[in-house]
């Protein structure tokens, strides 16, 4: 039974694209919708063609594709035709440099227009685009460029400085193109027309590195066919109509910024708003007002910060253009759903997915009542299961591993050169005749109304301000400092940021455990690894809890930090 905490939505400002969730889910097959995309042949499709070229060749050619707002308030706008031509010119330039199908071309840029054009250009020629968040430092850059064997990097002269120490160890990197040095001139000399590569549906389109509990980041590869799912989820979950001005606040260094700022959005013909600056409540509200944003996709940390900025601020802006607001990346507190309903007149709709899933798997749909705190219901065609560690199905209300039947078009194709790791994402379920399911690494349960509730991670992956950080990478970055013997890193719950990164550090003998050294270590990780992935808190300890085989037991560090029982210590070495 639905309880009285449910938010019903009688007063939608526009008829949603998905009017009847139940009936659509019941009769769903991809075949019904496949023709809403452009195929060159029955198994040939190009995601960039469907995002840009299709629109530039049709009625939408003079429609705005991108409103760009710079850091200092400068603004530009681009039509689909302009995006088409600019991306064609970049594509032709890349071809002239010898880039061909399957080559990895990486982008390390702040949110400038060239980022979006280059991303489309790379896909258009059948090369594989990789994006890297502009806060990354030398180690994070090296790990990605080295493992992917990227051939070309597109960046700025300022950001390129971060490569100065590692460049010599990247033999596959043939060229570094600087968008602020000669790039515009080179591009302007190129033809504006291009034969878009008729890629096979399973050809690699883009790759993104993401973190797990152990080891270096893994290169998650997505194929061109993912556009089918990117498009349908944009249409039904974000409810994008071509008339929408849509603002996704994510950076294309993360998957949300690729799928729901570039590919899915444009495949629906909507205009995307890009804000190059940092988070600031007044600036954010002024962007919604200026561009008359209708659909908004953001993250719980930002929403918590907006709530902290208060209601008086909201009253200074006209936000009545908003009609649908959505959230992703970390648990959305139920209070934020009711708060947003009160202050914006609209409830935030939580959505759930991962880099590996390539698209939204669970959502609160515009036409379905919301239970605040729940991540909603599966997208049509998606089959979730809650599974025990030993491969049995769990019942309604029981918490277990959130798994999905791997049947949707945007599930990751592979991990770049990590086939064994890729296989570790799958398990056989005994109660489903040994069917293979995809494991998310998250824990959840289903309630009696079919809503899913996120409980937590099953592993040590940290979500800080909605960004995914692997503890191993932070530990490795700390160990590289001369004062450190070893380090254990956990996510410490934080009311604003979801979690903050906390490091327990063992110092070399004779090194003084001072406050100054804590700051130095934080700064060291910030500079060498990434500006967002450094420990905000450091505690010096004499010894780390480890298993007898030498693995750091982060869950014990976490339990100690939170004052919780330590749990099973049978594998713990003497501590
Ligand atoms: O733990 C889940 C959390 O973010 C993880 C995926 O992170 P990433 O690959 O960076 O992708 C983020 C954007 C798609 C998940 O395994 N997560 C994502 N959405 C939610 C969430 N946790 C709770 N509620 C959500 N809605």
């Amino acid at each position: 039974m639905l309880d009285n905490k449910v938010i019903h939505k009688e007063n939608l400002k526009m008829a949603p694209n998905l009017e009847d969730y139940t009936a659509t889910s019941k009769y769903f097959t991809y075949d019904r919708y496949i023709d809403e995309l452009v195929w060159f042949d029955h198994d040939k499709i190009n995601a960039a063609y469907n995002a840009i070229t299709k629109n530039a060749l049709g009625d939408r050619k003079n429609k705005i594709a991108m409103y760009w707002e710079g850091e200092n308030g400068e603004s530009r706008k681009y039509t689909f035709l302009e995006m088409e031509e600019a991306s064609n010119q970049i594509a032709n330039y890349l071809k002239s440099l010898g880039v061909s199908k399957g080559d990895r071309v990486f982008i390390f840029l702040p949110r400038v227009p060239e980022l979006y054009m280059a991303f489309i250009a790379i896909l258009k020629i059948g090369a594989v685009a990789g994006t890297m968040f502009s806060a990354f430092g030398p180690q994070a850059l090296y790990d990605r460029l080295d493992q992917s064997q990227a051939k070309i990097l597109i960046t700025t002269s300022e950001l390129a400085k971060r490569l100065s120490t590692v460049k010599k160890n990247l033999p596959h990197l043939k060229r570094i193109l600087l968008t602020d040095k000669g790039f515009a001139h080179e591009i302007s000399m190129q033809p504006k027309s291009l034969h878009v590569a008729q890629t096979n549906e399973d050809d690699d389109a883009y790759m993104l590195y993401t973190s797990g509990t152990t080891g270096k980041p893994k290169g998650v590869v997505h194929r061109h066919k993912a556009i089918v799912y990117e498009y349908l989820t944009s249409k039904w979950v974000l409810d994008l109509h071509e008339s929408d001005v849509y603002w996704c606040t994510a950076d294309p260094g993360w998957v949300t910024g690729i799928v729901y700022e570039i590919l899915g959005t444009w495949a629906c013909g909507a205009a995307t708003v890009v804000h190059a600056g940092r988070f600031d409540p007044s600036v954010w509200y002024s962007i919604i007002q200026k561009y008359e944003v209708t659909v908004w996709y953001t993250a719980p940390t930002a929403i918590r910060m907006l709530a902290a900025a208060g209601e008086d601020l909201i009253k200074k802006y006209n936000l009545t253009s908003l009609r649908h607001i959505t959230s992703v990346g970390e648990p959305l507190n139920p209070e934020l759903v009711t708060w947003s309903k009160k202050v914006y007149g609209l409830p935030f709709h939580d959505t759930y997915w991962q880099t590996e899933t390539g698209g939204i798997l669970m959502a609160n749909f515009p036409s379905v009542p919301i239970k605040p705190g729940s991540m909603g219901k599966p997208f049509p065609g998606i089959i979730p299961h809650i599974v025990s560690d030993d491969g049995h199905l769990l019942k309604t209300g029981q918490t277990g591993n959130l798994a999905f039947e791997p049947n949707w078009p945007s599930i990751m194709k592979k991990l770049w050169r990590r086939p064994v790791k890729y296989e570790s994402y799958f398990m056989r379920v005994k109660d489903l005749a040994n069917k293979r399911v995809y494991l998310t690494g998250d824990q959840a349960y289903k309630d009696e109304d079919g809503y899913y509730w996120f409980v937590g991670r099953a592993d040590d992956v940290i979500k800080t301000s909605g960004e995914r950080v692997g503890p191993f990478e932070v530990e490795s970055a700390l160990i590289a400092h001369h004062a450190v013997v070893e380090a254990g890193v956990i996510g410490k719950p934080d009311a604003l940021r979801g979690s903050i990164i906390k490091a327990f550090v063992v110092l070399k003998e004779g090194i003084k455990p001072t406050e100054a050294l804590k700051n130095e270590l934080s700064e060291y990780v910030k500079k060498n690894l990434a500006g967002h992935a450094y420990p905000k808190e450091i505690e010096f300890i004499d010894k780390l809890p480890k298993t007898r085989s030498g693995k750091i037991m982060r869950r014990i560090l976490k339990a100690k930090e939170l004052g919780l029982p330590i749990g099973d210590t049978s594998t713990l070495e003497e501590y």
Side-chain angles (χ1 to χ4, degrees), residues 210-211 254-256 260 297 300 327-332 350-357 359-360 362 374-375 438 440-443 454-457 461 463 466-469:
T210 193
S211 304
W254 311 120
V255 75
T256 309
Y260 297 115
Y297 199 20
S327 168
V328 68
E330 28 164 353
L332 179 64
D350 192 15
T351 68
Y352 165 90
W353 59 297
Q354 308 179 292
T355 306
E356 293 88 336
T357 70
I360 296 165
M362 297 274 187
S374 157
M375 52 193 187
Y438 165 81
T440 59
D442 288 314
Q443 300 211 304
F454 179 86
V455 175
R457 284 293 303 182
V461 166
K463 272 281 168 144
E467 281 152 4
R468 181 164 159 183
V469 174

Side-chain angles (χ1 to χ4, degrees), residues 445-495:
Y445 68 89
K446 180 169 95 164
D447 72 15
E448 63 279 13
D449 299 313
Y451 285 74
Y452 284 79
W453 299 75
F454 179 86
V455 175
R457 284 293 303 182
D459 59 18
D460 297 332
V461 166
I462 301 166
K463 272 281 168 144
T464 178
S465 298
E467 281 152 4
R468 181 164 159 183
V469 174
F472 176 81
E473 289 164 74
V474 184
E475 289 160 1
S476 308
L478 281 164
I479 293 166
H481 189 280
H482 64 85
V484 177
V485 179
E486 51 183 8
V489 166
I490 61 162
K492 176 179 171 177
D494 181 81

Side-chain angles (χ1 to χ4, degrees), residues 254-272:
W254 311 120
V255 75
T256 309
I258 291 181
V259 176
Y260 297 115
E261 196 172 336
I262 303 181
L263 295 171
T265 321
W266 284 335
C268 290
T272 206

Side-chain angles (χ1 to χ4, degrees), residues 335-402:
E335 304 79 43
L336 294 178
V337 180
T338 37
W339 172 80
S340 59
K341 176 99 169 61
K342 188 172 105 210
V343 299
Y344 305 131
L346 302 166
F348 268 106
H349 292 66
D350 192 15
T351 68
Y352 165 90
W353 59 297
Q354 308 179 292
T355 306
E356 293 88 336
T357 70
I360 296 165
L361 295 188
M362 297 274 187
N364 287 279
F365 296 85
S367 57
V368 178
I370 297 178
K371 286 194 185 188
S374 157
M375 52 193 187
K377 296 191 172 193
F379 192 78
I382 295 294
I383 309 169
H385 297 293
I386 304 291
V387 184
S388 67
D389 288 344
D390 60 355
H392 287 289
L393 290 181
L394 294 176
K395 295 197 186 76
T396 299
Q398 286 186 310
T399 297
N401 300 298
L402 176 60

